[in-house]
Amino acid sequence: MNLHDFFDGVVASVAEDAALAAWAESNFGKGVSVYMEIPSESFPDFDDDAPFIVIGSPWRRANQERRVVEYGMEAWLGIAKSTYATRADGATEPAGVELIIDMIETVKNAIAAGLPEGFTMALEEYTDSLAAHDYCEGFMVLDFSKQLTIGEDPFA
């Protein structure tokens, strides 16, 4: 599978996911804007385009000796909701932190459900609430791998 086909499949899994659409509608009253790479002419705007997810920077690595193919990409998620809330334990946090973590989890599940057979996924997750604005961001670094069997060409 070439890099574009794999990348396109991951993006489609997110863009077509019913659970992510329901989550966005429930929390923001609208769907998620999904971008392949960052559109330089119309950079996602937190006020107009959030909730959004940008999936980009795809890469592919093949190794004939290890008989494995690896893919990777990064994702940037954004929401426009970081009013502060006091939790039961008395701590105060931006309300967007919990929402962005929920969004990361929902996106992760959408991607995992759409992976081709035989692929495994590993990821790193990060959040950031920009205290100077009413925005909250999430970041995902996604790594995928497939161990090849005899006869499968890692460079095909």
Side-chain angles (χ1 to χ4, degrees):
M1 176 179 314
N2 71 37
L3 178 58
H4 185 268
D5 290 344
F6 189 84
F7 180 52
D8 189 53
V10 169
V11 172
S13 293
V14 172
E16 298 169 359
D17 187 68
L20 182 59
W23 175 87
E25 187 64 37
S26 171
N27 287 292
F28 298 97
K30 63 180 184 174
V32 176
S33 300
V34 179
Y35 300 92
M36 292 176 80
E37 297 288 356
I38 295 177
S40 60
E41 292 181 9
S42 58
F43 197 81
D45 179 74
F46 278 91
D47 294 323
D48 297 329
D49 300 319
F52 64 80
I53 179 170
V54 177
I55 304 173
S57 304
W59 59 267
R60 179 182 190 274
R61 179 177 33 242
N63 187 319
Q64 196 166 27
E65 291 181 17
R66 288 184 44 222
R67 309 288 306 150
V68 66
V69 176
E70 300 169 316
Y71 297 85
M73 59 199 68
E74 297 174 353
W76 172 42
L77 298 76
I79 60 172
K81 186 172 185 177
S82 64
T83 57
Y84 282 82
T86 302
R87 304 179 335 180
D89 63 5
T92 302
E93 71 175 354
V97 171
E98 185 175 347
L99 282 171
I100 202 71
I101 291 170
D102 288 346
M103 186 179 183
I104 289 171
E105 187 70 21
T106 306
V107 168
K108 176 176 61 176
N109 292 339
I111 293 170
L115 284 179
E117 187 175 332
F119 277 85
T120 59
M121 179 173 74
L123 73 107
E124 296 176 40
E125 305 167 343
Y126 306 92
T127 66
D128 182 23
S129 60
L130 302 173
H133 304 283
D134 293 333
Y135 313 143
C136 198
E137 299 175 277
F139 303 93
M140 301 170 74
V141 179
L142 300 142
D143 295 304
F144 309 93
S145 62
K146 180 181 182 196
Q147 189 68 42
L148 302 177
T149 59
I150 294 174
E152 285 186 283
D153 182 359
F155 302 115

